[in-house]
Amino acid sequence: QDLSRLERFFFALALHLKLAAVVIMAASKRIADLLFQRDMVGPSFAHAATSIVALLIVEKAFLDMLLPQILPWVEAMFASQNRLMAVSNLCGIAGAVGYWGFGVAFAIPALVGCKRWKIQPLRSLDRAMLLQSLPLIFMNTLLGGIFAAVLLSWGLPDAAFDWRNLPGTWTLTRDAAVWMAVNEIMFFYSHR
């Protein structure tokens, strides 16, 4: 009889603690507060490893399948222009596809009014603010492309522009891990 009372007490206590956690989480306005728990270290490392593997697969697919198709065009561009202009053209193409292409694809749910799977569930798209922000976004894209082109064309060694001697899988893995770490750190400090 006492044991069942004790079991009922602990069951009721656990139920109340879960209910309190749900109420606290429901009152939170950030998805990160809802999702973060103490047991998230393992899944965080698994997510990072999965991201590196996915990035590596995309890079290898590009290097093995797409680059041989466009290699004559890239080599002709580098032969007919100086390095800064050729790298600037490649940065412009990568920015157009990567930022604007994927960015528009990811913005479609917000543009059509989707309410699920949002990072900020209590906010909706303000179209007037988006249109007002577009000139600044275009300017940042242009300045970022110029900065990337100058940094890459002057900062990389000549071997980086040898399109016939491509890096191996381990080099790509190392570079992907470093890129992801730097990207996450820059994103964190630029959005504080």
Side-chain angles (χ1 to χ4, degrees):
Q1 188 71 288
D2 289 333
L3 188 58
S4 65
R5 250 192 237 167
L6 191 60
E7 286 175 344
R8 283 185 288 181
F9 170 76
F10 282 118
F11 179 74
L13 180 63
L15 188 62
H16 281 78
L17 289 176
K18 275 189 174 184
L19 182 62
V22 167
V23 168
I24 290 170
M25 286 184 192
S28 176
K29 296 185 188 318
R30 293 178 32 176
I31 292 292
D33 294 337
L34 298 174
L35 296 178
F36 183 75
Q37 298 170 1
R38 289 185 180 181
D39 59 346
M40 292 303 292
V41 174
S44 296
F45 281 112
H47 181 261
T50 304
S51 297
I52 290 172
V53 168
L55 182 60
L56 186 62
I57 290 170
V58 169
E59 288 175 344
K60 287 298 283 182
F62 175 81
L63 291 176
D64 293 343
M65 291 186 273
L66 184 62
L67 185 61
Q69 305 298 321
I70 64 170
L71 189 57
W73 175 76
V74 172
E75 287 177 332
M77 182 176 59
F78 272 84
S80 66
Q81 300 174 355
N82 64 24
R83 182 184 288 180
L84 179 62
M85 288 307 299
V87 170
S88 178
N89 289 338
L90 289 178
C91 285
I93 292 168
V97 171
Y99 184 77
W100 292 104
F102 289 114
V104 167
F106 285 128
I108 289 173
L111 292 170
V112 298
C114 181
K115 300 291 183 198
R116 297 180 65 190
W117 306 300
K118 293 176 60 174
I119 293 172
Q120 297 175 326
L122 300 179
R123 296 193 58 167
S124 60
L125 176 66
D126 184 354
R127 293 176 200 277
M129 185 181 291
L130 174 65
L131 291 175
Q132 184 180 4
S133 302
L134 279 178
L136 180 63
I137 294 169
F138 283 125
M139 185 189 74
N140 286 341
T141 303
L142 179 67
L143 292 178
I146 292 169
F147 177 73
V150 169
L151 189 68
L152 291 173
S153 63
W154 291 345
L156 290 176
D158 290 336
F161 299 100
D162 181 5
W163 300 102
R164 302 275 177 188
N165 186 16
L166 300 175
T169 303
W170 289 112
T171 304
L172 288 175
T173 305
R174 179 204 63 205
D175 292 351
V178 169
W179 174 80
M180 283 182 58
V182 169
N183 189 37
E184 289 296 321
I185 292 167
M186 286 176 47
F187 181 85
F188 176 79
Y189 283 108
S190 66
H191 288 83
R192 286 187 76 181

